[in-house]
Amino acid sequence: MLEIKDIHKSFGKNEILKGVDLTIDKGDVVVILGPSGSGKTTLLRCINFLEKADSGKAAFGELQVDLHSASKKDIHAIRQKTAFVFQSYNLFNNKTALENVTEGLITGRKVPKTEANEIGKKALDKVGLSDKYDSYPSQLSGGQQQRVGIARAVALNPDIILFDEPTSALDPELVGEVLTVMKNIANEGTTMLVVTHEMSFAKDVAKRVIFMDGGVVVEEGTPHEIFVSPKEERTKKFLKRVLPEDYTFYI
Amino acid sequence: MSDGLNYKFLVDTFFVALSGVPITLFVTAVALLVALPLGFLLALTRINQIPILNTFSQVYVSFVRGTPIIIQIFIVYASVPLILTAITEKYNWNIKIYDINPIWYAFIVFSFSTTAILIEVFRSALSTVSKGQLEAAQAVGLTNFQAYRRIVIPQALVVALPNICTATVNLIKATSLGYAMSLQEITLKAKVAANVGYNYVEAYLDIFLVYIILCSLVEYGFKLYEKRLRKYQYVSS
Ligand SMILES: Nc1ncnc2c1ncn2[C@@H]1O[C@H](COP(=O)(O)OP(=O)(O)OP(=O)(O)O)[C@@H](O)[C@H]1O
Ligand SMILES: [Mg+2]
């Protein structure tokens, strides 16, 4: 469904992505793990052109694009097929929760307003915010804001949703509600590419786990392969650091 | 000559000064109509570091900010007729340059200086809207134009509004310098009336009153508008 080939990206002299390949099948949840600075965010941002890669190719089903020299039209087409959930939510501050969710439908896709409102309300219901349609972001907790962010992505009915550390800006007690929502939409068959440090989510929900370090994919496999029997030394070191001492892995 | 104020003159001249208000407001409105869009576009060239235009705006802003408006008025009032004369002679047009209504010079000078001020106002306002707002709008499939119109500009405007208000009030006050090019605005009209009987104190009092009323009304209008735009920030949970 989504195939990425050989992405390269540098910021100045700093080479961040050094040739990353990635394949995601329809309905799969793929989790990317990796230490800070390994290029996870940059990878996601290159996929929907928030950042322009230096080279690389992407195939979304039928649609093939060059990640460096895509035309405006291709970029627009890809953004219509993807949705992005940001670490810092990035809800539109001047719009209510419902308007946040419907903005992309009404302005971006010309869906009639009444229809868009119906879709938007359904999406907000799904993330448990039926009573917050008319709240502005400034009136919502971090967890609620991120759930609106997820509803905004879901409402677009994209081929894939890209999540960039959706819970790492949240207070610990709010992480659970967001993860629950993500699990629910994963169970509905949504294709998801998720960067996260939540090992439990990777373990319970991911079909495949990718470990990135230094701008390359070091290792990938099922959660069992990565967590229980990692092959690469770098993977083992990373897991040792992020998993608690007595962490045992059940699957 | 009476000692004390000439009250009849004070009242009469108040209405003379008032009759200059339409010209003052007309010049202000034209200057704003030019400066708001132009200032915004040039602010964008600065934020996005568009080559050449960015440098142009920078030089333009420091030029205008570094010179008194009265000097800008003298320059335009003295040089534009010369340029026009040269042009009309070259093409044999039969236009009487010195019959041109001074309001045209006022339009040029005040549009020019207000644009420079609004470039800076919009630049700082735009930089308060986080990049994530634009990116989120792009990510849900809005074009850049839609993203600016629906998301970025409404938020920047709320931040810019108090400064736009200040710029407008300053502009209204600055048009009083239009007397230097015989613009028939508030100050000139009242001063001309005072010339007859040397009632300058009364005339200045009237000018003072008219500007204070005008500027207070404008400020009040901006406050109301700002309150409406800000509704998404004021609401409390
Ligand atoms: N716009 C930019 N300009 C310059 N350098 C950048 C830019 N964006 C990211 N970088 C650099 O690229 C490197 C990789 O960043 P990236 O955000 O992709 O890492 P990450 O794996 O997402 O890390 P984290 O877990 O901390 O989010 C970092 O060293 C960062 O400083
Ligand atoms: Mg990151």
Side-chain angles (χ1 to χ4, degrees):
Chain A
M1 204 233 51
L2 168 61
E3 212 181 327
I4 302 286
K5 273 251 171 313
D6 205 23
I7 294 195
H8 286 262
K9 173 70 187 174
S10 305
F11 290 109
K13 284 209 174 86
N14 216 348
E15 193 176 14
I16 306 301
L17 297 178
K18 303 171 181 164
V20 175
D21 296 332
L22 190 65
T23 308
I24 301 173
D25 292 325
K26 194 167 162 45
D28 278 4
V29 175
V30 175
V31 165
I32 302 179
L33 303 177
S36 182
S38 54
K40 307 178 299 291
T41 298
T42 308
L43 175 63
L44 291 197
R45 289 170 59 85
C46 285
I47 293 176
N48 78 337
F49 293 95
L50 289 178
E51 214 74 69
K52 190 186 243 179
D54 299 331
S55 66
K57 296 215 178 323
F60 280 81
E62 307 285 271
L63 181 66
Q64 311 247 354
V65 293
D66 186 294
L67 287 171
H68 177 65
S69 57
S71 65
K72 264 202 169 133
K73 201 171 129 248
D74 283 342
I75 293 177
H76 195 68
I78 288 205
R79 286 184 177 153
Q80 303 280 335
K81 287 174 180 289
T82 59
F84 205 103
V85 176
F86 296 86
Q87 182 171 358
S88 48
Y89 335 131
N90 291 351
L91 294 190
F92 307 130
N93 294 323
N94 58 330
K95 305 271 174 201
T96 63
L98 184 59
E99 288 167 347
N100 261 277
V101 177
T102 57
E103 184 64 32
L105 294 168
I106 297 172
T107 309
R109 304 190 180 181
K110 307 288 173 239
V111 175
K113 193 165 174 194
T114 44
E115 195 182 321
N117 278 341
E118 242 166 71
I119 298 172
K121 284 178 183 168
K122 241 185 238 156
L124 285 171
D125 296 346
K126 197 179 283 184
V127 300
L129 293 174
S130 311
D131 53 339
K132 298 290 181 192
Y133 295 160
D134 299 320
S135 302
Y136 285 97
S138 59
Q139 298 169 286
L140 299 173
S141 73
Q144 291 170 332
Q145 289 191 53
Q146 191 57 296
R147 283 189 279 152
V148 175
I150 294 171
R152 177 169 71 178
V154 168
L156 296 168
N157 192 23
D159 292 356
I160 184 169
I161 304 181
L162 310 169
F163 291 80
D164 186 18
E165 299 196 30
T167 56
S168 51
L170 294 172
D171 293 339
E173 71 271 21
L174 299 177
V175 169
E177 61 186 65
V178 172
L179 289 180
T180 307
V181 163
M182 287 172 62
K183 276 178 200 167
N184 290 343
I185 62 170
N187 288 337
E188 288 175 8
T190 314
T191 314
M192 297 161 62
L193 179 57
V194 185
V195 172
T196 185
H197 291 297
E198 293 296 328
M199 296 302 149
S200 66
F201 181 84
K203 175 180 78 123
D204 297 341
V205 186
K207 175 103 181 286
R208 276 187 312 129
V209 175
I210 293 175
F211 174 66
M212 267 181 82
D213 193 9
V216 294
V217 172
V218 175
E219 186 168 357
E220 66 173 293
T222 63
H224 189 269
E225 284 164 352
I226 297 293
F227 287 113
V228 180
S229 50
K231 293 191 197 70
E232 301 292 326
E233 203 49 44
R234 276 197 277 178
T235 319
K236 287 180 196 163
K237 264 202 188 134
F238 173 77
L239 290 173
K240 207 165 183 180
R241 225 178 36 209
V242 296
L243 295 177
E245 271 314 313
D246 54 351
Y247 190 89
T248 36
F249 193 83
Y250 304 101
I251 203 152
Chain B
M1 275 250 144
S2 63
D3 35 5
L5 289 178
N6 179 341
Y7 288 104
K8 169 141 191 339
F9 181 84
L10 188 69
V11 173
D12 290 348
T13 309
F14 179 77
F15 289 101
V16 174
L18 217 50
S19 73
V21 168
I23 292 290
T24 297
L25 286 183
F26 189 31
V27 171
T28 304
V30 169
L32 284 178
L33 281 177
V34 174
L36 283 169
L38 198 60
F40 182 78
L41 287 178
L42 291 176
L44 283 183
T45 69
R46 300 237 27 211
I47 294 248
N48 296 313
Q49 308 260 321
I50 313 268
I52 303 175
L53 281 175
N54 174 21
T55 318
F56 168 80
S57 319
Q58 218 171 335
V59 172
Y60 176 48
V61 168
S62 37
F63 176 80
V64 171
R65 283 210 299 203
T67 52
I69 289 196
I70 190 80
I71 301 302
Q72 294 164 20
I73 289 177
F74 290 151
I75 291 174
V76 170
Y77 200 45
S79 63
V80 171
L82 288 182
I83 297 168
L84 283 180
T85 312
I87 294 172
T88 50
E89 273 174 5
K90 187 161 177 212
Y91 295 99
N92 275 324
W93 291 338
N94 195 10
I95 301 174
K96 295 212 175 77
I97 307 288
Y98 292 92
D99 289 350
I100 292 178
N101 188 326
I103 202 164
W104 290 100
Y105 298 112
F107 290 160
I108 295 173
V109 172
F110 292 114
S111 301
F112 189 76
S113 60
T114 309
T115 300
I117 288 161
L118 291 187
I119 289 176
E120 288 303 289
V121 168
F122 283 126
R123 191 170 70 102
S124 65
L126 282 169
S127 67
T128 65
V129 182
S130 82
K131 196 132 197 287
Q133 295 286 310
L134 178 64
E135 290 181 347
Q138 292 171 330
V140 298
L142 269 55
T143 62
N144 271 343
F145 181 76
Q146 290 169 332
Y148 267 95
R149 185 169 56 85
R150 309 263 319 158
I151 308 298
V152 178
I153 294 177
Q155 292 180 49
L157 202 56
V158 170
V159 179
L161 215 56
N163 292 328
I164 295 176
C165 175
T166 307
T168 305
V169 167
N170 283 341
L171 173 60
I172 290 175
K173 291 186 290 186
T175 57
S176 67
L177 295 170
Y179 81 87
M181 36 189 184
S182 352
L183 182 70
Q184 295 289 320
E185 45 65 62
I186 301 167
T187 311
L188 184 83
K189 286 200 159 187
K191 272 188 78 165
V192 167
N195 284 343
V196 182
Y198 300 102
N199 304 89
Y200 289 114
V201 176
E202 290 86 343
Y204 292 150
L205 253 178
D206 286 325
I207 295 170
F208 184 89
L209 276 177
V210 170
Y211 279 114
I212 242 184
I213 293 169
L214 197 57
C215 292
S216 307
L217 284 176
V218 167
E219 275 182 38
Y220 182 69
F222 269 99
K223 284 263 153 59
L224 285 186
Y225 186 49
E226 190 187 333
K227 211 163 162 184
R228 233 184 64 198
L229 285 187
R230 252 183 211 279
K231 66 173 195 273
Y232 67 86
Q233 289 178 333
Y234 280 154
V235 282
S236 55
S237 34

